[in-house]
Amino acid sequence: MSDKMNVGIYVFEGMTMLDGYAPLQILSFVEQFNTFTFSKEGKAVRSDSNTVLTPDYGFDDCPPLDILVMPGGGDVFGQMSDATVQAFLKDSGAKAKYITSVCTGALILAEAGLLDGHRATTHWAYIDQLAKYPEIEVVDERVAVDRNRISGGGITAGLDFALTVVAEVVSPELAQTIQLIFEYRPQPPFNTGSPETAPAEIVERVKGMVAERNQPLYEHLANK
Amino acid sequence: MSDKMNVGIYVFEGMTMLDGYAPLQILSFVEQFNTFTFSKEGKAVRSDSNTVLTPDYGFDDCPPLDILVMPGGGDVFGQMSDATVQAFLKDSGAKAKYITSVCTGALILAEAGLLDGHRATTHWAYIDQLAKYPEIEVVDERVAVDRNRISGGGITAGLDFALTVVAEVVSPELAQTIQLIFEYRPQPPFNTGSPETAPAEIVERVKGMVAERNQPLYEHLANK
């Protein structure tokens, strides 16, 4: 038996690939971790970048999870309303030592009750929706750490999230080493990564895109 | 016929997945781009994170490239010394309107002569190796833009790289919009993303890891 921790990254049709694959790349460099992906049926799925994601496992043969990583995407409602997915999370997911998310993956965990009683964050355009769950203390932070719950903000927060997971679970020194290997000294070409700093017309355009595709989510959460 | 630009990301056995998949995620959100992956034989490969990468094409059916994106990894020498790969680059790769790389992908392009006469950058631990090519002006920048050659630094530079590609090829406004969608306001948990800022013992450890696996590369380039 390996004494490595099992780190499982869930993958699903239409997900934002980078939400899961940025943490996957970082966490796979940790020798204390056995990092893998799993989908509902163990079959390949297509991400929102039209990329084929081939999982290592399905729900039925997924190793016991020490760390669950839940990515998000523009259609998380499909995962929130899938009884099989939610049942897996309430059973196998709830048993994980660390329950974590990137981007709108927090909403999928929230629906399963896995963030109740904890601080958590999500993509900036979905903060208001996560706040509909009364038992969650929603914060607008890059990475929110609350005991064994670790959540990241939108998409690219997966890098800061994964380094934080390494620092919390293994050691800050290893996280620092990986940060150097990954040459993570970001230089964003613009200052538009936040609704506070982006031009108003760009913020409104993105908010409109998000609203257009999320009516079922909004209706579902309106009654919380 | 689509009038979209064909953006092809090469994938190969042992590559650093994130080098290619971070740009893939960003570039796939550009409606002017037809973004896809391709491998030498059109078959799936395993990345250095042990992730199965399923390409859309092989060399034999790869659409004509408008933008070539070359990722890297710890074993780029395998691609530099593969006659079929190098022949593809010198033929189909050289015809691309934009020839680009992330991380040590620059060394693969360099070996094919595709960076001759241009400024280019690479992962910090490989800058000295890229500088062995006398016809390349090697710079230590996050993203180096020189006419139709665009290269990024190590791994995570793929984000800054891809946003720069969008700004250069399409428009700064679209790049700004995508930066907001991706919530790209990075907050690295440590200040160790560069050899100038990381503790000396961590820099030495990473340099040792890099040197250990790259003897064939060093021997090959020693005679340049």
Side-chain angles (χ1 to χ4, degrees):
Chain A
M1 287 288 288
S2 162
D3 58 359
K4 295 188 178 195
M5 293 180 80
N6 286 328
V7 180
I9 291 148
Y10 180 57
V11 297
F12 59 89
E13 194 77 20
M15 72 177 276
T16 297
M17 171 266 286
L18 197 61
D19 285 6
Y21 273 42
L24 172 61
Q25 181 73 61
I26 286 180
L27 301 175
S28 75
F29 274 36
V30 177
E31 64 179 15
Q32 292 89 340
F33 291 168
N34 169 37
T35 307
F36 54 83
T37 56
F38 65 101
S39 69
K40 181 178 167 181
E41 294 174 327
K43 294 181 200 155
V45 297
R46 278 213 181 246
S47 78
D48 66 353
S49 58
N50 203 30
T51 310
V52 174
L53 308 180
T54 304
D56 300 303
Y57 301 103
F59 284 170
D60 59 350
D61 62 349
C62 182
L65 295 167
D66 293 302
I67 303 181
L68 164 64
V69 179
M70 179 59 69
D75 175 29
V76 288
F77 184 64
Q79 304 303 309
M80 294 164 67
S81 57
D82 184 315
T84 306
V85 172
Q86 290 293 312
F88 177 87
L89 292 176
K90 287 174 186 172
D91 179 15
S92 304
K95 292 175 187 158
K97 293 189 182 73
Y98 291 87
I99 297 171
T100 76
S101 63
V102 175
C103 195
T104 53
L107 285 161
I108 305 173
L109 296 181
E111 185 68 14
L114 295 182
L115 297 180
D116 285 355
H118 288 82
R119 294 170 67 252
T121 194
T122 187
H123 188 288
W124 66 265
Y126 294 81
I127 285 277
D128 291 349
Q129 299 307 314
L130 188 60
K132 305 266 185 184
Y133 293 89
E135 302 301 320
I136 304 173
E137 185 191 342
V138 178
V139 292
D140 186 9
E141 295 174 2
R142 189 69 177 166
V143 183
V145 181
D146 184 5
R147 288 156 288 164
N148 71 338
R149 304 301 204 274
I150 306 177
S151 52
I155 315 183
T156 56
L159 292 168
D160 305 317
F161 158 86
L163 290 171
T164 301
V165 169
V166 176
E168 291 279 330
V169 178
V170 184
S171 74
E173 194 194 5
L174 180 61
Q176 289 163 1
T177 304
I178 291 178
Q179 189 175 330
L180 178 61
I181 293 171
F182 278 68
E183 199 169 336
Y184 188 40
R185 46 173 163 173
Q187 292 177 25
F190 305 103
N191 187 23
T192 60
S194 155
E196 282 82 50
T197 60
E201 65 271 21
I202 290 181
V203 176
E204 289 313 307
R205 192 182 317 144
V206 174
K207 280 183 177 173
M209 290 164 49
V210 170
E212 196 175 349
R213 62 199 300 178
N214 280 297
Q215 287 308 316
L217 174 67
Y218 297 163
E219 286 165 25
H220 173 72
L221 292 178
N223 302 318
K224 284 277 167 193
Chain B
M1 286 289 289
S2 162
D3 58 359
K4 295 188 177 194
M5 293 180 80
N6 285 328
V7 180
I9 291 149
Y10 179 57
V11 297
F12 58 89
E13 193 77 20
M15 71 177 276
T16 298
M17 172 266 287
L18 198 61
D19 285 5
Y21 273 43
L24 172 60
Q25 181 74 61
I26 287 180
L27 301 176
S28 75
F29 275 34
V30 177
E31 63 178 16
Q32 292 89 337
F33 291 169
N34 169 37
T35 308
F36 54 82
T37 56
F38 65 101
S39 69
K40 179 178 168 183
E41 295 173 327
K43 295 182 199 153
V45 297
R46 279 214 180 247
S47 79
D48 67 353
S49 58
N50 203 30
T51 309
V52 175
L53 308 180
T54 304
D56 299 302
Y57 301 103
F59 283 170
D60 59 348
D61 63 348
C62 182
L65 295 166
D66 293 302
I67 303 180
L68 164 65
V69 180
M70 179 58 67
D75 175 30
V76 286
F77 185 63
Q79 303 303 309
M80 295 164 66
S81 56
D82 185 315
T84 307
V85 172
Q86 289 293 312
F88 178 87
L89 292 176
K90 288 174 187 172
D91 179 14
S92 304
K95 293 175 186 156
K97 293 189 183 73
Y98 292 87
I99 297 172
T100 76
S101 63
V102 175
C103 196
T104 53
L107 285 160
I108 304 172
L109 296 182
E111 185 67 14
L114 295 182
L115 297 180
D116 286 355
H118 288 82
R119 293 170 67 251
T121 195
T122 186
H123 188 287
W124 67 263
Y126 294 81
I127 286 275
D128 292 349
Q129 299 307 313
L130 188 61
K132 304 265 184 181
Y133 293 90
E135 302 301 320
I136 304 173
E137 185 191 342
V138 178
V139 292
D140 186 10
E141 294 174 4
R142 189 69 175 165
V143 182
V145 181
D146 183 6
R147 290 156 287 165
N148 71 337
R149 304 302 203 275
I150 306 176
S151 52
I155 314 184
T156 57
L159 293 168
D160 305 316
F161 157 85
L163 290 170
T164 301
V165 168
V166 176
E168 291 279 330
V169 178
V170 185
S171 74
E173 194 194 7
L174 181 62
Q176 289 163 2
T177 304
I178 291 178
Q179 188 174 331
L180 178 61
I181 293 171
F182 277 69
E183 199 170 335
Y184 189 41
R185 46 173 163 174
Q187 293 177 25
F190 305 102
N191 186 22
T192 60
S194 155
E196 282 81 49
T197 59
E201 65 271 22
I202 290 180
V203 176
E204 290 311 308
R205 193 180 317 142
V206 174
K207 280 184 175 172
M209 290 164 50
V210 170
E212 197 175 348
R213 62 198 299 177
N214 280 297
Q215 287 309 316
L217 174 67
Y218 298 162
E219 285 164 27
H220 173 71
L221 293 178
N223 302 318
K224 283 276 166 192

